[in-house]
Amino acid sequence: MTAATARARVVTAVVIGMLLAGCGAGPSSRPGVAVDQRGVVEPAPSATTTAPVTAPDLAVPKSDLPWRDCTKPVLDLWGLGTGPQGLILECAELSTPIDASGAIYGTFTAGAMRARLPETPLDAPPLVVTSGSDRSSTATLAGLAAGPAGALLTARPLVALDRRGIGTSTPIDCIPPETRTGLLDHAQSSTDPAGTMAELSQAATIACKDFLQPQELAFDTAHAADDLEQLRLLWDVDAIGILGSGNGTAVALAYAQQYPSHVGRLVLDAPEGAGADVTTLTEYQVRGAEAALAAFANRCVALNCSLGADPEATVADLVRRAGAGEIPGTSANAMLTAIGGFLGSPRSDQQTRVAELADALTAAGRGDTVALSNLVLREQSATAADGQFIARCTDGQQWPAVGKVRELADSWNERYPVFGRQAALGLLTCSAWPVAPAPPLPTDVRIPVLVTSSIADPVVGNDGLASVTGAVAAAGGNPSGIGWQGWGHPVANHSSCAQQAVVEYAATAKLPANGTACPA
């Protein structure tokens, strides 16, 4: 590690420590009390000067899906306990055309879930939740609904729609088991992991293309936006409100591009960068993951957790040991899947569960990998299904070649000592997938748009925020940003302050002051 890198890591840790040292258990209920000038959204230079029109009103659906109660099965599936008193989760399916233009005949079945509380008004229009391919939208909504920060559910029902092949949508099982294992472990047993990852990508691509033809490219954000439109049509309403997080913000922007007159509210919660290549987006994510780990370590020290006086260094050493085959049955990437999955979990009780991850890692260091293996399996099932492989590969732009990844593995390992090397190797997962056209950004967004971000986002990072707000402004929209000073993803699941802003915006289309800071 260079001296400059070491100094940068120290500064990052100090800043995060100052911001998070006062964090209590659970999500913050403190309101936004300041305006953070660093979070101010600047209009893009090419932004249109046309004034935004009044946002269309949201309406209660005139018809609806055949909902059935699924509260206990969903809470049990994700280990979320009982949730708040009276929580109601209802599940249903939506039949959507494979291709809305009719170019390919047939339908898919998309899974949906509605969350509400006993006090949720029956005449309140719902918001549609999508987390894209990061994690199923239903799991993201379950994490929000089961937490104590319930302002959104108190105000109106939330309806999640899973992307094709993900979560409660019809599953896809196309990757051979041995190929899947190699991809998940980043070919750790190979003497040339990068070269082997490219071969595994080829095998997975051939298997999934054979399974899906001729619809292998019908899993991008444009088709996900078409599925949202099918929900609007079924509801028979003029406009819908969308709460998109992470990759779900790309789905939301695709909807705004394809169906601009039907967007009533647009919340871009912890958005991934817009219009960037996958190497850039991955580096954003790695920076966010390293920052989130530093925040976790700060909290761990405050709780006197089992990882010792320097949890960050302990974790880095455990990942190194896993990569060297010194931890039975656990690859470096499997360990990082558990760590990154915990840091990016939509559960709002992360900070009360710090000991769960710390103790699992400590036990693994002693050779007892039972708890860690359970975490790995849980996170792989949530974030690494075949449907997610297909969606991410279809969405990605400019996958790097093997030689470039070898260079990145070395340089990122130096700059990002915990997540860097494995993140670089992961870029080869989709290297053989057919190249899909880059999705066009919206050109006609004439409503106020609420955008949130955090200081340490392990799922998408924070560096892509400007590209998203710039795209909205360039399309004629009026973006306003909220910065949450905590760690985790997405913001609305963890910050009551952010939830209150979404409640006000959903009801009135009124935005908070641009640059509002929500405390951790």
Side-chain angles (χ1 to χ4, degrees):
M1 180 185 301
T2 65
T5 301
R7 287 194 298 271
R9 289 184 62 201
V10 169
V11 170
T12 299
V14 169
V15 171
I16 292 174
M18 293 173 61
L19 287 169
L20 301 179
C23 291
S28 168
S29 59
R30 291 178 287 167
V33 294
V35 173
D36 181 0
Q37 294 301 319
R38 294 169 299 173
V40 172
V41 172
E42 296 290 346
S46 58
T48 177
T49 58
T50 304
V53 298
T54 302
D57 291 333
L58 301 181
V60 177
K62 298 183 179 67
S63 60
D64 215 337
L65 293 164
W67 299 108
R68 63 184 183 278
D69 185 88
C70 59
T71 308
K72 189 177 187 306
V74 169
L75 295 177
D76 288 349
L77 175 64
W78 300 114
L80 295 171
T82 59
Q85 186 174 2
L87 173 65
I88 301 169
L89 302 177
E90 299 162 295
C91 296
E93 288 76 38
L94 174 68
S95 181
T96 66
I98 292 175
D99 189 273
S101 70
I104 302 176
Y105 294 106
T107 60
F108 281 125
T109 299
M113 187 176 78
R114 180 171 66 182
R116 55 193 175 95
L117 296 169
E119 59 267 37
T120 305
L122 297 177
D123 59 349
L127 281 181
V128 181
V129 174
T130 173
S131 50
S133 62
D134 295 325
R135 190 181 293 261
S136 73
S137 303
T138 51
T140 298
L141 176 55
L144 185 153
L152 268 172
L153 283 185
T154 301
R156 64 185 62 246
L158 301 178
V159 174
L161 188 67
D162 282 334
R163 278 187 73 163
R164 300 174 178 189
I166 297 175
T168 59
S169 296
T170 301
I172 297 171
D173 184 3
C174 59
I175 302 177
E178 64 279 6
T179 301
R180 184 183 296 113
T181 298
L183 288 172
L184 291 175
D185 288 342
H186 286 183
Q188 180 168 298
S189 61
S190 170
T191 57
D192 178 19
T196 303
M197 281 292 289
E199 294 171 0
L200 291 168
S201 176
Q202 183 73 21
T205 296
I206 291 171
C208 290
K209 283 185 64 180
D210 288 346
F211 182 83
L212 294 171
Q213 281 185 340
Q215 57 206 36
E216 67 270 17
L217 296 181
F219 292 85
D220 59 1
T221 55
H223 286 84
D226 288 337
D227 292 346
L228 295 183
E229 175 65 359
Q230 289 301 310
L231 180 61
R232 184 196 70 82
L233 291 171
L234 183 144
W235 279 348
D236 192 18
V237 295
D238 292 333
I240 58 175
I242 304 174
L243 171 58
S245 63
N247 174 258
T249 62
V251 176
L253 289 174
Y255 187 87
Q257 193 276 328
Q258 294 164 224
Y259 306 101
S261 64
H262 296 312
V263 182
R265 303 289 187 274
L266 189 57
V267 182
L268 305 177
D269 185 9
E272 70 176 15
D277 62 84
V278 293
T279 302
T280 299
L281 292 178
T282 301
E283 187 166 14
Y284 291 167
Q285 183 270 325
V286 172
R287 288 175 187 160
E290 296 275 343
L293 178 61
F296 165 84
N298 180 74
R299 178 67 176 162
C300 210
V301 169
L303 295 173
N304 193 28
C305 76
S306 61
L307 289 173
D310 190 349
E312 204 172 355
T314 301
V315 169
D317 184 61
L318 286 169
V319 173
R320 179 197 62 76
R321 289 176 57 196
E326 298 174 5
I327 297 180
T330 304
S331 67
N333 195 59
M335 181 175 286
L336 290 174
T337 296
I339 297 169
F342 174 87
L343 297 174
S345 169
R347 293 180 59 147
S348 59
D349 62 346
Q350 280 172 301
Q351 295 198 32
T352 65
R353 297 168 55 240
V354 165
E356 177 185 350
L357 177 61
D359 292 348
L361 291 171
T362 300
R366 298 193 304 262
D368 178 3
T369 60
V370 173
L372 179 63
S373 295
N374 288 335
L375 289 177
V376 170
L377 289 174
R378 185 176 72 192
E379 293 306 327
Q380 286 179 344
S381 68
T383 62
D386 289 4
Q388 284 159 317
F389 163 79
I390 294 164
R392 291 167 183 164
C393 291
T394 306
D395 288 348
Q397 298 295 314
Q398 301 177 42
W399 296 99
V402 173
K404 179 63 176 177
V405 166
R406 290 192 180 107
E407 295 174 7
L408 288 172
D410 290 337
S411 62
W412 284 6
N413 188 52
E414 175 71 18
R415 280 184 281 168
Y416 314 114
V418 176
F419 292 92
R421 176 175 173 77
Q422 295 303 320
L425 290 172
L427 287 167
L428 289 167
T429 301
C430 297
S431 57
W433 192 258
V435 177
L441 293 172
T443 57
D444 186 20
V445 180
R446 300 299 176 87
I447 64 171
V449 178
L450 179 59
V451 187
T452 74
S453 64
S454 71
I455 62 170
D457 188 317
V459 175
V460 295
N462 190 41
D463 297 285
L465 181 65
S467 65
V468 172
T469 56
V472 170
N478 174 30
S480 184
I482 287 179
W484 175 50
Q485 297 174 337
W487 59 273
H489 178 92
V491 173
N493 283 40
H494 301 286
S495 168
S496 292
C497 163
Q499 282 200 20
Q500 290 290 350
V502 176
V503 168
E504 174 70 14
Y505 169 70
T508 66
K510 179 181 178 181
L511 292 169
N514 187 27
T516 295
C518 282

